[in-house]
Amino acid sequence: MKMPCSISIFGLGYVGLTFSVCFASKGFKVIGVDVDLIKIKNIERGIPPFYEPQLKEYLSKALQKNTFTCTNDYFQAILSSDISFICVGTPAKSNESLDLSHVKSVSRNIGEALRKKKDYHLIVVRSTVTPGTTEHVIKRMVEDLSGKTCGIDFGLCMNPEFLREGTAIYDVLHPDRIIIGEFDKKSGDILENIYREFYGEKTPPILRTSLTNAELIKYANNAFLATKISFINEMANICQKTSGADITVIARALGLDHRINPKFLGAGLGWGGSCFPKDLNALIKYAESIGYNPVLLKAVNEVNSLQPYKAIELARELIGDLKGKRIAILGLSFKPNTDDMRNAVSIKIINELLKEGAKVVAYDPAAIKNAMKIFGDRIEFTFSALECIKDCDCCIVVTEWEEFKRLNPDDFIANMKNPAIVDGRRIFDPKKFSLKLKYKTIGLSL
Ligand code: UGA
């Protein structure tokens, strides 16, 4: 069989679109498929549907090169490609299990199209799905609707992604490793060859395994990272009550142990986003469904659910009762370099402040539009950090955007009514700040 180099990618969200433009930029012929026609029109005009560093540049490069096209015609996309990547979202349902409706609808489309296709086709699942879904839901649907047999007429891989929002392009181009869960050897060989062609000499280690292991690796990865953060936040809360202790020094020391490594030991107000909360809950739900009580994962969740309230606690220590106080919030998105507000800790903090009768004024370099959909006119929005802190009684740093790191104590003294700062992400030098104004931060008893 010839090396497949024409690919269709189903779902043009964070995973699908970044993956598409990176592959297209290296000369692969990529057809992006989505059901949202407005999204498709905008992408065709070079406008990404969300903010992500470098994405616009990569998109326009791919469009200029003519290697990337978009369509809602799944049928045509499958017939004119050799391999389809399923990158649609698997959001949480209200009972915290996974909503597989998008995955099922794409599987149905692929099955219907394959009925009419003579050539072999490889299906690669990149969406995050619980163990067994690739084989028992996706494979079954495609076989039923196509009338074809997996391992003979079409191939199947589960290939989890590990990109982070805010560094998505970098992560696609520089992965630590590639995990290929394969139904059969032929499927895995084809996908491995594609990645070897894409990365060339820089191909990272490739681990080939079963579909189920690949599904679980994704969950284990996110659960482990979330555990690291909840662990360091718990240590930070212990430091907070221990005279002379500082979590940043402890985290640095831990990170120097090669068995631990320094990443994801940044203490703060907890983790948010579309992945950790959803994946941890789905893993807990899955474990319970097979008769296992995942006590550690539940504790990781619990530490995280309480962590945002540390900001309120510290604000109260600085300025007392929050009723009627004007509080500035610096940073709304769940992490820097994204406009994503999904499960952002800012939501919990702001809702609590409003409940306590405070007036909230907020600024974020990218997420204001999305935050407006959540808060409406319940809070004020500003267009710069300095405007945000103006005349405030307290400022809480919620997201560690680079531009906030450049603020110095005099900026706060000159603009705030009462210069008091809760540094929720350890972005300022406590010595410098606490000398000049009221300052509290996570993991340091001051
Ligand atoms: C996460 C994983 O890091 C990716 O590998 C994975 O592909 C992705 O989920 C996914 O499943 O799609 P993401 O949610 O984009 O990526 O962002 P992270 O950089 O992992 O940050 C998650 C949260 O942890 C953020 O709220 C961040 O502020 C918080 N965090 C991160 C900390 O509080 N401390 C740290 O040291 C690091």
Side-chain angles (χ1 to χ4, degrees):
M1 188 197 153
K2 78 174 166 61
M3 174 74 195
C5 55
S6 172
I7 63 184
S8 50
I9 295 187
F10 285 75
L12 296 175
Y14 281 97
V15 175
L17 186 56
T18 11
F19 199 62
S20 297
V21 297
C22 287
F23 266 76
S25 75
K26 294 227 180 168
F28 285 78
K29 188 171 162 270
V30 179
I31 310 165
V33 191
D34 204 286
V35 288
D36 184 341
L37 269 176
I38 299 174
K39 191 195 265 186
I40 290 175
K41 289 275 166 269
N42 280 329
I43 292 174
E44 281 171 338
R45 284 161 45 216
I47 306 166
F50 46 84
Y51 171 73
E52 179 64 39
Q54 289 185 287
L55 179 58
K56 209 167 184 327
E57 293 76 7
Y58 269 79
L59 174 59
S60 59
K61 221 192 301 173
L63 292 170
Q64 269 162 25
K65 270 187 158 183
N66 244 334
T67 44
F68 178 48
T69 51
C70 285
T71 181
N72 65 345
D73 183 350
Y74 66 87
F75 204 82
Q76 215 35 55
I78 289 160
L79 293 188
S80 52
S81 61
D82 309 288
I83 166 164
S84 294
F85 287 85
I86 302 180
C87 299
V88 291
T90 47
K93 284 203 279 206
S94 51
N95 66 357
E96 279 160 1
S97 63
L98 284 192
D99 174 359
L100 286 178
S101 57
H102 305 301
V103 167
K104 284 183 179 167
S105 137
V106 171
S107 307
R108 201 171 301 120
N109 292 345
I110 295 177
E112 282 165 2
L114 287 189
R115 179 172 278 279
K116 299 273 179 326
K117 191 169 173 177
K118 283 197 193 73
D119 297 334
Y120 180 90
H121 195 90
L122 177 65
I123 302 165
V124 182
V125 182
R126 299 221 89 198
S127 305
T128 302
V129 290
T130 42
T133 307
T134 305
E135 180 143 12
H136 302 301
V137 178
I138 300 171
K139 173 178 154 286
R140 240 181 238 170
M141 283 186 83
V142 175
E143 282 187 329
D144 285 352
L145 285 148
S146 64
K148 302 202 163 168
T149 308
C150 187
I152 296 173
D153 308 303
F154 70 91
L156 183 62
C157 287
M158 202 287 149
N159 172 221
E161 55 77 25
F162 302 101
L163 62 85
R164 296 159 297 174
E165 288 181 28
T167 49
I169 298 273
Y170 179 88
D171 291 347
V172 171
L173 298 176
H174 307 92
D176 290 342
R177 74 315 201 190
I178 292 167
I179 309 298
I180 298 180
E182 59 201 39
F183 177 78
D184 60 338
K185 186 173 178 307
K186 180 177 173 181
S187 305
D189 284 348
I190 296 172
L191 188 57
E192 175 165 349
N193 283 338
I194 291 204
Y195 281 123
R196 292 204 177 279
E197 194 181 330
F198 180 76
Y199 292 108
E201 280 178 1
K202 293 193 178 137
T203 302
I206 295 180
L207 191 150
R208 299 214 2 209
T209 184
S210 65
L211 298 173
T212 306
N213 275 340
E215 290 165 328
L216 262 174
I217 286 167
K218 169 71 187 191
Y219 281 103
N221 213 80
N222 275 355
F224 186 75
L225 293 172
T227 304
K228 255 185 125 174
I229 305 170
S230 281
F231 168 80
I232 206 69
N233 283 337
E234 182 137 285
M235 285 307 299
N237 297 341
I238 294 170
C239 287
Q240 195 90 42
K241 293 188 184 296
T242 307
S243 170
D246 180 351
I247 192 60
T248 57
V249 179
I250 289 166
R252 211 177 310 137
L254 291 179
L256 288 170
D257 185 328
H258 291 293
R259 293 169 303 176
I260 299 178
N261 120 2
K263 311 254 174 72
F264 280 70
L265 288 179
L269 297 172
W271 38 266
S274 67
C275 306
F276 286 179
K278 169 177 81 80
D279 291 353
L280 210 70
N281 284 327
L283 185 55
I284 290 171
K285 202 90 199 152
Y286 173 73
E288 285 175 340
S289 78
I290 53 169
Y292 178 73
N293 180 20
V295 271
L296 173 65
L297 300 180
K298 287 179 179 173
V300 167
N301 240 352
E302 194 180 338
V303 169
N304 196 59
S305 69
L306 298 172
Q307 198 63 12
Y309 300 113
K310 290 282 154 205
I312 310 282
E313 208 176 292
L314 295 179
R316 248 192 248 113
E317 283 176 25
L318 284 177
I319 63 167
D321 190 3
L322 302 177
K323 192 162 192 263
K325 301 276 171 58
R326 189 171 166 84
I327 313 282
I329 298 290
L330 290 184
L332 293 162
S333 55
F334 85 94
K335 62 184 271 189
N337 298 319
T338 177
D339 59 359
D340 198 340
M341 285 292 298
R342 285 175 289 177
N343 294 301
V345 297
S346 64
I347 301 174
K348 263 192 179 172
I349 294 169
I350 291 173
N351 282 336
E352 185 62 23
L353 288 169
L354 293 174
K355 210 165 99 194
E356 299 215 6
K359 295 190 183 88
V360 176
V361 47
Y363 168 68
D364 186 281
I368 289 184
K369 212 168 120 196
N370 287 336
M372 277 177 171
K373 292 181 204 151
I374 297 168
F375 298 110
D377 57 6
R378 290 190 296 140
I379 68 171
E380 258 177 64
F381 293 97
T382 61
F383 295 96
S384 75
L386 292 183
E387 204 190 323
C388 181
I389 60 177
K390 192 115 198 102
D391 298 329
C392 282
D393 298 289
C394 181
C395 168
I396 305 177
V397 178
V398 178
T399 315
E400 66 276 33
W401 283 90
E402 271 313 305
E403 67 171 81
F404 301 155
K405 296 182 185 167
R406 293 192 286 272
L407 294 168
N408 60 55
D410 293 334
D411 293 320
F412 292 96
I413 292 166
N415 287 285
M416 292 179 74
K417 184 167 135 203
N418 173 40
I421 300 177
V422 174
D423 180 357
R425 298 287 177 183
R426 293 300 300 254
I427 64 170
F428 299 129
D429 176 355
K431 271 199 198 118
K432 201 165 124 193
F433 273 68
S434 56
L435 264 182
K436 290 193 151 190
L437 38 73
K438 292 186 205 160
Y439 177 86
K440 290 262 177 199
T441 190
I442 298 290
L444 183 68
S445 75
L446 279 170

